[in-house]
Amino acid sequence: MTTTAPTTGQTITIEVQRFRPEADVEPTYESFEIPYSDDVMILDALHHIKDRQDGSLSYRWSCRMGICGSCGMLVNGKPRLACNTLLRDFAPGPVRIEPLTNFPIIRDLVIDLSDFLHKLDEIKPYIIREEEKPLSEGEYLQTPAERERYAQFSQCINCMLCYSACPVYGLSEKFLGPAAIALARRYNVDTRDQGRAWRELVLYQDDGIWECTYVGECSEACPKNVDPAKAIQQTKIEGTLGWYTSLLTPWRGK
Amino acid sequence: MDTATHDVLVVGAGGAGLRAAIAALEAVGDRLNLAIISKVYPMRSHTVSAEGGAAAALKPGDSLELHFEDTVKGSDWLADQDIVEVFVDEVRRELLQLEHWGCPWSRDMDGHVGSRPFGGMSRPRTLHAADKTGFHMLHTLFQTSLKYEGIKRYDEQFVTSLLIEDGKCRGVVAIDAPTGKIHAIYAKAVILATGGGGRIFPFTTNAQICAGDGMALAYRAGAPLADIEFVQYHPTGLPRTGILITEASRGEGGYLFNANGERFLERYVPSKMELGPRDIISRAEIMEFEAGRGFEGPYGNYVHLDLRHLGEAKIMEKLPMVRELVHEYMDLDCVYEPIPVRPVVHYMMGGVRTQLNGETAVEGLYAAGECAVVGLNGANRLGSNSLGEILVFGARAGQAAADYAMGIGAISANPLGQLAEAEEKRIADEYLHSDGKERIATIRDDLWSAMESGAGVYRDEAGLKAACDTLRTLKERYRSVMVDDHSKIFNTELFAALELGFMLDVGEAICHAGLERKESRGAHARRDYPDRDDEKYLKHTLVYQTEGDPRVEYEDVRITKFPPQERKY
């Protein structure tokens, strides 16, 4: 069939963290030996285990092309997307696969995302306007240069690798976090939006942007070059300038 | 058993589902009790993978008439023309609405939304957001849906069956993935927006979740599947993975070459070349392979998609994700090297038969998007019509379902509760016992083998018949499918087993429908019946589930302004 990778006769060992809440008190590691091929991804290795050896191994995945954000996990300790991480980069193995850090584990490699979804809600990630233009008047004009200013921050696939990499989020789950802040900035900078004041209530509060200490691991981990660290720093600069402005010209905005 | 009750339940949270939910709330307002249920978080829906764009006749020099004609011709005259007329008109407003909601459409220098050429389109009318249009549309729709507090979401809940009472759809039974609890959700109206079924085939652009869920659910509930034999093979999928390389790469000027270095489409569709419709180009590639002019690789034959002459700047502006994908999955740089590509299963023209506003043959049950056949795409869909389709018909279904729900009284839990409990028992009995004999993957491999050989780009009597026979046997074998995982918490193996059941049902319908259609039209190409036969087959296929083999019937296509002609490009 046109979809099976040729195997070399070699094998590779995959160590996977398992946790079955009905049976286990704490996570354990289980090793699987699978056929090695040099053009498959970590995700393909997991499929092999699930399809041929142990159907109970649970992990999320969908698109297998790095756009849906489902398959974030730790591969040899680093947060990666399983679907675009080459197995051959870890040969001869063993390769250790664990769920993303900083999130509660539901089962095996499946983590609880509810905290992020709550934050997504909080930052009001949609166009907010005082007055809507009727559709009959056509589109809001936006030049390519204006689009450029927020385009990078709109590429987030919500994969959570940045939250897993962030040591601040590791210490306190209250921190708003890289993806949420980058998405807030995406809307704040979009020329069509007028909702900045609403988002600033969330961005500049305790556990907002000021918790970030510019470690930069989030941007390092991001598979889509969103550069959330940049978004956070730009938001900090704006916040600081905004504070000075309100200090020096308190009559503004009243 | 836990139960909940809503006015409208949307199954599927991709583009069509989210648009339907928003439209339902806009139509009725706060008093509408609406919920969306999805087996994945909304931003994982397969809409996210769509790349090329969404077409609308917005620019000067274009017209509704042209978009209409292109679509009907593209469909090989199997489209219902009254539907196409509605679509080409309303898609303009839908894409503008999406822009107002923040969708980052690519722009011309003057700030207006830009548009690009696309296959089978006589004018450049495809709006796009770089080459990640589906990603941006989905995230715009999902993020905008968060504005509506009236939407209750059931995330990561797997619908196993519809609740049908007295011939009407009144809800679903679903498994909550994190807890394994089975519960019933009652609703006055259910909208299926569950997408396609590419994973019925081994080599597909589709995500894992595209297993034909909603199609099978409706089919089992007595609704017919229309035109299910029409499976679109996209001309440019990466070998082995099947990852989509968008048609936009040809829209922006890319060329297709065979192993002799020829732009071979000269032989097949000289007036359109690389911008011919997808079915014709996929067939052209297969013919080149059969003539010995394809490249040979470890994953089958391929041709070259060459973007080198576009230059790095253009590729980075218009096709950045193409470059990324080719680099990550093929270890090639398309700025400097041609891309190996081959035909890959991409889209189901077939699905649950509906009327204009998503009404199916089952009262209370609606469908929209790829899982539905409203009549837009006929025997072959034009690229960049699907992203518009989900908006236009998602919105219509949402509104219609909401209006319907507001017009009927409260649902009685009594007979529904018993039905739900029977479903819970069925799942435990059929899947979670210990008599399983065969692994899911073994049955699935045989399904894939049968579909690939029987329902490929080219089909014939023997191949389709063999596939029908194999499917029959597979359904028998499926009764003893083995599920290793008996735990309740996040049992993805149970979901894979349930999905396999859906895939077998829809796969069987595809093979039987294909066997009965003794002509070639659009994406259904029969070696033994190479011509189109309007006299016998200017009709939609309707496949009904029975105790034995599926029953195939036909329904006339609705022609209004564009009488059938020979389909020549």
Side-chain angles (χ1 to χ4, degrees):
Chain A
M1 221 186 304
T2 45
T3 51
T4 338
T7 54
T8 55
Q10 291 173 270
T11 61
I12 187 168
T13 302
I14 314 286
E15 278 171 18
V16 190
Q17 184 178 303
R18 304 299 304 266
F19 178 62
R20 284 148 287 211
E22 292 133 307
D24 302 337
V25 171
E26 51 178 41
T28 58
Y29 289 92
E30 207 170 323
S31 282
F32 298 92
E33 202 159 314
I34 65 162
Y36 173 79
S37 171
D38 68 5
D39 60 358
V40 297
M41 301 296 175
I42 295 287
L43 185 64
D44 297 304
L46 293 174
H47 290 341
H48 185 94
I49 297 168
K50 189 177 182 72
D51 286 346
R52 316 286 163 188
Q53 297 181 23
D54 182 354
S56 73
L57 175 61
S58 286
Y59 50 95
R60 288 192 179 104
W61 72 284
S62 188
C63 74
R64 59 82 169 86
M65 58 184 270
I67 196 73
C68 76
S70 303
C71 66
M73 48 191 79
L74 294 189
V75 182
N76 279 9
K78 291 232 149 55
R80 306 291 301 267
L81 293 180
C83 72
N84 71 5
T85 302
L86 283 159
L87 184 64
R88 71 168 182 253
D89 287 349
F90 302 90
V95 190
R96 173 164 280 210
I97 303 181
E98 297 157 299
L100 288 178
T101 31
N102 301 340
F103 290 94
I105 305 173
I106 296 177
R107 154 102 188 253
D108 293 341
L109 300 169
V110 179
I111 53 163
D112 184 340
L113 290 176
S114 42
D115 183 49
F116 171 70
L117 288 164
H118 174 70
K119 287 171 171 144
L120 191 60
D121 250 323
E122 272 195 302
I123 53 142
K124 300 193 189 306
Y126 36 80
I127 298 290
I128 297 174
R129 290 188 65 84
E130 279 160 42
E131 226 178 274
E132 292 277 347
K133 180 158 110 159
L135 289 181
S136 52
E137 285 178 24
E139 69 265 55
Y140 293 102
L141 293 184
Q142 184 174 79
T143 64
E146 286 170 338
R147 182 184 185 277
E148 232 1 76
R149 286 191 65 221
Y150 69 87
Q152 185 178 21
F153 304 139
S154 74
Q155 309 283 14
C156 175
I157 61 174
N158 301 165
C159 66
M160 303 293 93
L161 300 196
C162 57
Y163 283 77
S164 184
C166 174
V168 175
Y169 186 64
L171 287 172
S172 164
E173 80 158 20
K174 294 227 209 89
F175 173 45
L176 191 52
I181 298 172
L183 191 60
R185 178 136 192 90
R186 172 257 178 276
Y187 281 98
N188 282 348
V189 173
D190 189 327
T191 49
R192 299 167 288 185
D193 178 77
Q194 294 165 339
R196 176 186 291 260
W198 288 103
R199 292 186 203 98
E200 285 176 352
L201 293 173
V202 174
L203 290 169
Y204 299 129
Q205 69 178 353
D206 291 345
D207 302 311
I209 60 170
W210 306 114
E211 289 305 303
C212 168
T213 55
Y214 207 10
V215 169
E217 286 297 324
C218 54
S219 292
E220 190 62 33
C222 178
K224 307 310 279 185
N225 296 316
V226 175
D227 201 351
K230 180 166 85 179
I232 299 172
Q233 303 328 308
Q234 286 179 355
T235 311
K236 282 182 189 172
I237 292 168
E238 256 176 31
T240 312
L241 289 175
W243 182 79
Y244 278 123
T245 311
S246 65
L247 199 64
L248 297 171
T249 54
W251 54 86
R252 278 238 202 122
K254 288 252 164 84
Chain B
M1 175 185 293
D2 287 342
T3 65
T5 309
H6 299 280
D7 292 324
V8 175
L9 177 68
V10 182
V11 181
L18 290 167
R19 185 67 189 93
I22 294 173
L25 283 169
E26 294 277 335
V28 176
D30 287 339
R31 53 198 174 104
L32 184 73
N33 179 340
L34 178 134
I36 309 184
I37 183 167
S38 170
K39 64 182 179 178
V40 291
Y41 284 110
M43 58 284 198
R44 317 300 187 211
S45 305
H46 193 48
T47 308
V48 82
S49 302
E51 299 174 12
L58 283 168
K59 301 284 187 190
D62 200 357
S63 70
L64 297 182
E65 202 52 56
L66 284 171
H67 193 180
F68 168 84
E69 281 169 13
D70 291 342
T71 301
V72 173
K73 184 175 177 188
S75 80
D76 217 345
W77 275 273
L78 210 69
D80 291 314
Q81 293 181 17
D82 52 337
I83 301 295
V84 181
E85 288 184 53
V86 169
F87 170 74
V88 300
D89 179 21
E90 291 181 4
V91 69
R92 298 174 301 167
R93 190 198 70 213
E94 285 296 325
L95 297 186
L96 283 176
Q97 176 63 84
L98 223 60
E99 191 276 328
H100 282 221
W101 281 338
C103 189
W105 297 119
S106 292
R107 303 280 177 160
D108 290 335
M109 289 311 291
D110 62 3
H112 283 102
V113 299
S115 51
R116 59 166 41 130
F118 229 72
M121 297 288 186
S122 57
R123 294 287 182 277
R125 61 170 73 101
T126 297
L127 273 67
H128 51 284
D131 55 354
K132 279 161 121 162
T133 309
F135 166 80
H136 284 295
M137 281 178 55
L138 181 66
H139 279 249
T140 300
L141 282 166
F142 174 50
Q143 286 159 19
T144 300
S145 78
L146 298 177
K147 255 193 331 196
Y148 295 83
E149 282 167 16
I151 298 180
K152 156 103 184 131
R153 280 207 337 262
Y154 295 99
D155 292 330
E156 296 200 308
Q157 309 222 6
F158 191 103
V159 174
T160 68
S161 76
L162 300 176
L163 289 169
I164 307 292
E165 195 240 321
D166 209 18
K168 303 186 186 55
C169 184
R170 290 296 185 239
V172 305
V173 175
I175 303 174
D176 175 48
T179 61
K181 277 211 191 132
I182 296 183
H183 64 131
I185 305 176
Y186 304 140
K188 297 176 184 175
V190 172
I191 306 176
L192 296 171
T194 51
R199 285 276 158 167
I200 296 169
F201 293 80
F203 186 59
T204 175
T205 59
N206 285 196
Q208 178 240 354
I209 55 179
C210 308
D213 295 33
M215 296 182 191
L217 291 171
Y219 184 57
R220 292 172 183 180
L225 294 179
D227 301 338
I228 196 71
E229 66 272 40
F230 296 102
V231 175
Q232 182 168 81
Y233 281 80
H234 191 289
T236 57
L238 293 180
R240 188 183 80 80
T241 58
I243 289 171
L244 174 69
I245 298 299
T246 174
E247 185 158 290
S249 50
R250 288 170 283 133
E252 296 296 342
Y255 296 148
L256 287 171
F257 289 106
N258 63 17
N260 295 348
E262 298 166 312
R263 267 180 82 193
F264 59 92
L265 290 173
E266 185 76 47
R267 233 175 250 125
Y268 305 95
V269 56
S271 67
K272 288 277 196 188
M273 294 299 284
E274 280 79 2
L275 288 180
R278 290 170 178 180
D279 55 333
I280 292 181
I281 298 189
S282 288
R283 278 195 289 277
E285 291 180 29
I286 299 294
M287 285 194 266
E288 290 296 297
F289 298 159
E290 291 179 350
R293 293 189 290 265
F295 293 95
E296 275 170 30
Y299 306 112
N301 291 122
Y302 59 92
V303 294
H304 272 164
L305 171 63
D306 199 340
L307 305 182
R308 289 176 292 180
H309 54 289
L310 302 182
E312 184 168 5
K314 182 147 193 209
I315 292 174
M316 289 314 290
E317 188 208 340
K318 295 288 193 175
L319 303 169
M321 185 162 83
V322 168
R323 189 178 191 188
E324 201 182 304
L325 289 169
V326 173
H327 174 68
E328 272 174 3
Y329 292 93
M330 302 296 294
D331 207 10
L332 295 169
D333 189 345
C334 65
V335 171
Y336 304 108
E337 300 162 280
I339 310 166
V341 291
R342 50 176 284 120
V344 60
V345 169
H346 180 60
Y347 180 85
M348 314 280 290
M349 271 67 73
V352 187
R353 184 56 169 145
T354 75
Q355 295 170 49
L356 172 63
N357 293 325
E359 304 96 328
T360 71
V362 175
E363 187 182 325
L365 183 65
Y366 296 76
E370 190 175 347
C371 74
V373 176
V374 67
L376 177 65
N377 302 308
N380 171 68
R381 175 175 73 75
L382 290 184
S384 73
N385 266 353
S386 177
L387 287 175
E389 176 183 17
I390 62 185
L391 299 174
V392 171
F393 298 107
R396 279 182 165 267
Q399 169 151 8
D403 288 342
Y404 168 80
M406 295 317 289
I408 63 178
I411 308 173
S412 141
N414 213 335
L416 291 175
Q418 286 158 20
L419 291 170
E421 270 160 31
E423 175 67 1
E424 184 174 19
K425 186 170 187 309
R426 179 188 80 91
I427 293 170
D429 290 347
E430 290 181 14
Y431 298 95
L432 299 173
H433 55 84
S434 35
D435 302 349
K437 294 202 190 66
E438 270 194 279
R439 299 195 73 83
I440 295 167
T442 320
I443 301 176
R444 197 172 59 209
D445 281 345
D446 289 351
L447 168 67
W448 282 348
S449 202
M451 297 307 293
E452 186 166 66
S453 53
V457 171
Y458 280 103
R459 301 145 172 201
D460 60 32
E461 174 98 10
L464 285 162
K465 208 165 173 315
C468 289
D469 291 341
T470 307
L471 261 303
R472 206 177 290 117
T473 327
L474 288 174
K475 287 179 73 171
E476 254 319 297
R477 283 165 59 188
Y478 177 70
R479 287 148 71 88
S480 358
V481 71
M482 183 170 78
V483 175
D484 283 340
D485 192 357
H486 285 205
S487 66
K488 283 187 151 339
I489 313 279
F490 224 93
N491 189 339
T492 50
E493 207 194 9
L494 174 59
F495 298 158
L498 290 164
E499 282 166 350
L500 179 59
F502 296 149
M503 285 151 61
L504 288 169
D505 275 355
V506 180
E508 183 182 55
I510 293 172
C511 295
H512 282 267
L515 183 63
E516 292 310 311
R517 183 173 288 269
K518 300 184 200 304
E519 66 153 2
S520 288
R521 181 188 301 264
H524 176 68
R526 292 276 305 247
R527 291 193 203 267
D528 44 356
Y529 296 95
D531 298 319
R532 198 176 91 192
D533 183 355
D534 282 352
E535 228 182 271
K536 286 219 203 77
Y537 293 107
L538 189 58
K539 296 174 194 296
H540 297 289
T541 316
L542 293 175
V543 184
Y544 290 87
Q545 190 173 60
T546 72
E547 290 289 311
D549 286 344
R551 184 177 84 246
V552 176
E553 293 178 6
Y554 293 95
E555 174 187 276
D556 285 334
V557 169
R558 297 194 298 275
I559 312 279
T560 59
K561 301 194 302 203
F562 199 1
Q565 301 168 2
E566 188 190 347
R567 184 167 173 245
K568 255 193 345 218
Y569 287 94

